[in-house]
Every structure is written in C-alpha cells, then in structure tokens.
C-alpha cells in the first residue's frame, strides 16, 4: 500500500507540474499549429488525472473519492472546451460566414463554466480531505477552500461570460499557483514514503 501511495504521489507531481507548465505556456507564449493544439489539449487531461491521483495519496474517504472523480470530469470538460475554442478559432480564420458563430461561442463559453464548476466542486471535496489530513495539508486545504468557492460564485454571477471579461478577479492564475504548491507537496509525499 505504501508503494502504491508513492507511485500516485510521483504521478500526481509529474502530471500536475506539466499541466500547470502547459497552462502558463498557453497564456504567456503564442504558439501556432500542432504545438498550440498539443499544448492546449494536454492541459485538461493532465490536470484531471493529476487531481484524481491526488485523491489517491490521501486517506480514502468520501471526500477524496468524490473530489478525485469530479476533478477528473472537470479535466475532461476543460479539454472539450479547449478543443471547441480551437475549432471556433479555425472557423473564424477560414473566412467562412459568421452565421451561428455567436451561438457556437456561447456553447464554448458554457463548456468553460462547466469545467470551472466540476473542477471547483471536486477541489472543494479534496480541500475538505486536505484539512482532515492536517499538518501542511491543512493550510493548503484552507487556501483552496477560499479560492474554489470564489471561482464558482464568480462564474455563476457572470454566466455564461467569463468573470474576468466582466471585470471580476480572474482566479485561474491564483488557482494554478495553489496547484503548484499541491504538486510540490505530492512530490514530498513521494520522497517521504520510501
């Protein structure tokens, strides 16, 4: 069992750090073509599986199980949303008529909210488990317990438009930095469970 926890901790750290690296690469460096698609489409998959892995290093409870599953679904929605966004961008760049583009844009915006909602609820469950784990996880869990409900509430207030487009704080970069803390702590679990 101890070896399985170590494997999940290593998996969580690696996939999590890569997902956050892809996220910041996507918002900071304009990529094109194949590399743009590969980077963007990887973010949700890696985020979802890393948070599912996080649920496996904690004491198994309803909070860790539900949190892991909802976070995995959130990662799936994120990938779906990014694929829709890339499709919309390709359509816009093709010179085709714009009939239906506004409707399609609202579909992808709604999918973005679905991602935030599933990942936010999943992370709230994982935060409850972090708080129950105690020690440094308590502090990290409390930080997330503030960030994630803010993300959900802001999204519900401005639905279907993204909160930052309506002048509200974009929680995404703060959540990404919070996730880096989690992934580094997961690496610590891997190193300490020898």
């Amino acid at each position: 069992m101890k070896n399985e926890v170590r494997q999940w901790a290593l998996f969580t750290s690696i996939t999590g750090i890569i997902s956050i690296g892809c996220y910041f690469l996507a918002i900071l460096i304009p990529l094109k073509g194949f590399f743009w698609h590969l980077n963007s489409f990887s973010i949700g998959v890696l985020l979802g599986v890393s948070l599912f892995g996080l649920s496996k290093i904690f004491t198994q409870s309803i909070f860790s199980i539900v949190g892991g599953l909802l976070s995995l679904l959130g990662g799936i929605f994120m990938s779906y949303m990014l694929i829709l966004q890339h499709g919309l961008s390709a359509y816009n760049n093709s010179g085709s008529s714009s009939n239906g583009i506004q409707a399609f844009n609202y579909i992808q915006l709604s999918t973005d909210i679905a991602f935030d909602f599933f990942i936010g609820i999943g992370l709230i469950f994982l935060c409850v488990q972090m708080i129950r784990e105690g020690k440094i996880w308590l502090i990290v869990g409390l930080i997330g317990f503030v960030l994630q409900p803010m993300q959900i509430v802001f999204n519900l207030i401005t639905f279907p438009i993204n909160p930052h487009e309506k002048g509200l704080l974009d929680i995404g970069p703060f959540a990404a930095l919070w996730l880096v803390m989690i992934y580094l702590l997961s690496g610590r679990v891997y190193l300490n469970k020898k």
Side-chain angles (χ1 to χ4, degrees):
M1 185 66 163
K2 186 188 247 187
N3 191 40
E4 185 179 333
V5 170
R6 283 188 80 231
Q7 289 174 357
W8 277 113
L10 180 62
F11 175 81
T12 297
S13 293
I14 291 171
T15 56
I17 293 294
I18 293 170
S19 74
I20 299 302
C22 288
Y23 167 76
F24 280 114
L25 185 63
I27 63 174
L28 297 176
I29 299 174
L31 297 173
K32 300 269 187 222
F34 171 81
F35 293 107
W36 177 47
H37 301 312
L38 177 64
N39 183 69
S40 296
F41 299 168
S42 298
I43 298 169
V45 173
L46 291 169
L47 180 64
V49 297
S50 69
L51 293 173
F52 180 77
L54 179 67
S55 75
K56 298 302 228 171
I57 69 173
F58 292 135
T59 305
Q60 291 302 286
S61 72
I62 192 72
F63 299 108
S64 60
I65 293 167
V66 171
L69 291 174
L70 289 174
S71 296
L72 182 59
L73 284 171
I76 292 168
F77 273 114
M78 181 183 210
S79 291
Y80 179 65
M81 175 223 24
L82 289 168
I83 291 166
L84 285 175
Q85 287 178 352
H86 283 235
L88 177 61
S89 177
Y91 183 84
N92 284 337
N93 292 335
S94 73
S96 300
S97 71
S98 62
N99 293 341
I101 287 297
Q102 190 62 28
F104 186 72
N105 190 43
Y106 273 86
I107 291 169
Q108 71 89 16
L109 286 171
S110 299
T111 306
D112 185 19
I113 303 302
F115 155 67
D116 287 336
F117 193 76
F118 273 86
I119 207 88
I121 298 293
L123 286 170
I124 288 170
F125 274 98
L126 287 172
C127 286
V128 169
Q129 186 59 41
M130 287 179 208
I131 292 166
R132 293 176 67 185
E133 295 287 322
K135 300 179 185 170
I136 189 70
W137 289 111
L138 171 71
I139 296 165
V140 174
L142 289 172
I143 293 169
F145 212 75
V146 170
L147 285 176
Q148 294 312 311
M150 283 176 57
Q151 178 97 4
I152 292 168
V153 168
F154 287 0
N155 276 296
L156 292 175
I157 290 170
T158 64
F159 181 84
I161 308 301
N162 292 322
H164 70 276
E165 291 178 25
K166 291 285 194 168
L168 293 175
L169 179 67
D170 184 2
I171 303 295
F174 298 104
L177 293 174
W178 173 72
L179 286 169
V180 167
M181 285 192 308
I182 288 173
Y183 297 135
L184 292 175
L185 283 172
S186 298
R188 189 172 148 234
V189 169
Y190 171 77
L191 294 173
N192 290 339
K193 295 270 184 184
K194 290 183 179 181

